[in-house]
Amino acid sequence: MSRPLLEVRDVRVSFDIRRPSDLPWTPPAQLHAVNGVSFTLARGQTLGIVGESGCGKSTLARALIRMLPATGQVLWEDGTDLLTLGPRQMLRYRSEIQMIFQDPLASLNPRMTVGEIIAEPLRTHRPKMGAKERRAKVREVMERVGLLPNQINRYPHEFSGGQCQRIGIARALVVEPKLLICDEPVSALDVSIQAQVIGLLEELRRDLGLTIIFIAHDLSVVKHLSDEVMVLYLGRMMEKASSDALFADPRHPYTQALLSAVPVPDPKVERGKKIISLAGDLPSPMNPPSGCVFRTRCPLAQPVCETQPPEELRGDHRTSCHFAGMPVPAE
Ligand SMILES: Nc1ncnc2c1ncn2[C@@H]1O[C@H](COP(=O)(O)OP(=O)(O)O)[C@@H](O)[C@H]1O
Ligand SMILES: [Mg+2]
């Protein structure tokens, strides 16, 4: 059997936090933003990663491409652990893994034209490519993402949010990556524009065989795009399953709560739907609850949840919960 494109094993990312009141000789406190996340991703698949703001989605994405230091293993399909590579060796893999970001305009250099922005990764990763070939390549990806050739000399501020995101996608695609990491690419866009950008990503995946990690804070956005969905909470995996299984049979109370917040198009179903509201606020990752990190907001929590972290149930449908599969009672 061939290797998956990406195999992530027990990845952890911590930040040192110094508060103004800390004395200079005390060690900094640790914030565990990503706390032991593992998954595999086969070629051509799309993995959706979902969770509330602050649960570690962006930190995980940045760790995978070495924008942040992490521990664990990030194995590429050739067996290389990306976390062990030096900057020069990593450069090669950085053209195979490209990323697009949430705020399309802010992630584009305002002083560069669209053509220059899209050509920039080619200058880094294909330094021997001639100017003519580079221009042809830029035009080709512009067309691919639905930008017009005559827009090549315009500046980012002349474009709408949706078009800026297309520019970001073109810049990512120009080096022909195998993996595209999309960090909340549509969260800042209007709903109608969201659908267009998601449609474009689906098209690219189909036509180019791209493998995609698609990050979102709500489940409805990832539903149609993802083959598999992973739900994170306070830097930990709560549940991971095929998209169909997760939506049809959510086993973790957190997933059930997230799903209950997704609007259903049919008004009859919507009216009869069970709403699960979670108690309290997201705890600080500086000071996570003992045992199961979700227990302070969990409608099913029992004393065991306070004392023991749940073991992860492995297999196709993974869950970290002492009471996985138990339905949360309606309010
Ligand atoms: N550079 C940083 N320094 C300190 N803490 C950070 C830094 N980046 C992120 N964090 C913290 O890590 C946690 C996860 O953040 P993030 O990955 O941005 O979450 P998400 O993308 O899911 O909203 C948050 O508590 C956030 O405050
Ligand atoms: Mg984020």
Side-chain angles (χ1 to χ4, degrees), residues 27-72:
Q30 294 259 297
L31 185 156
H32 301 288
V34 175
N35 214 332
V37 170
S38 305
F39 62 87
T40 58
L41 186 54
R43 227 182 221 249
Q45 295 276 297
T46 300
L47 171 69
I49 301 183
V50 184
E52 280 165 281
S53 177
C55 69
K57 305 181 296 294
S58 298
T59 304
L60 173 62
R62 289 181 153 84
L64 298 182
I65 59 167
R66 302 284 304 275
M67 277 168 74
L68 285 172
T71 63

Side-chain angles (χ1 to χ4, degrees), residues 13-17 31-34 51-62 68 102 183-184 215-217 232 234-235 282-286:
V13 184
S14 312
F15 296 108
D16 286 347
I17 304 290
L31 185 156
H32 301 288
V34 175
E52 280 165 281
S53 177
C55 69
K57 305 181 296 294
S58 298
T59 304
L60 173 62
R62 289 181 153 84
L68 285 172
Q102 172 167 3
D183 188 2
E184 304 213 32
I215 296 174
H217 58 250
L232 293 182
L234 284 183
L282 191 67
S284 160
M286 299 280 299

Side-chain angles (χ1 to χ4, degrees), residues 50-124:
V50 184
E52 280 165 281
S53 177
C55 69
K57 305 181 296 294
S58 298
T59 304
L60 173 62
R62 289 181 153 84
L64 298 182
I65 59 167
R66 302 284 304 275
M67 277 168 74
L68 285 172
T71 63
Q73 289 182 307
V74 176
L75 302 172
W76 194 242
E77 60 179 346
D78 61 4
T80 305
D81 180 357
L82 303 183
L83 298 190
T84 64
L85 298 180
R88 282 184 67 90
Q89 296 163 295
M90 189 61 205
L91 192 62
R92 205 192 106 213
Y93 291 92
R94 280 294 283 111
S95 75
E96 308 222 49
I97 311 176
Q98 290 288 307
M99 190 153 161
I100 59 174
F101 300 91
Q102 172 167 3
D103 187 340
L105 187 56
S107 63
L108 304 175
N109 186 335
R111 279 178 289 275
M112 283 164 74
T113 65
V114 169
E116 289 164 347
I117 289 170
I118 299 173
E120 201 182 29
L122 288 175
R123 290 178 188 277
T124 312

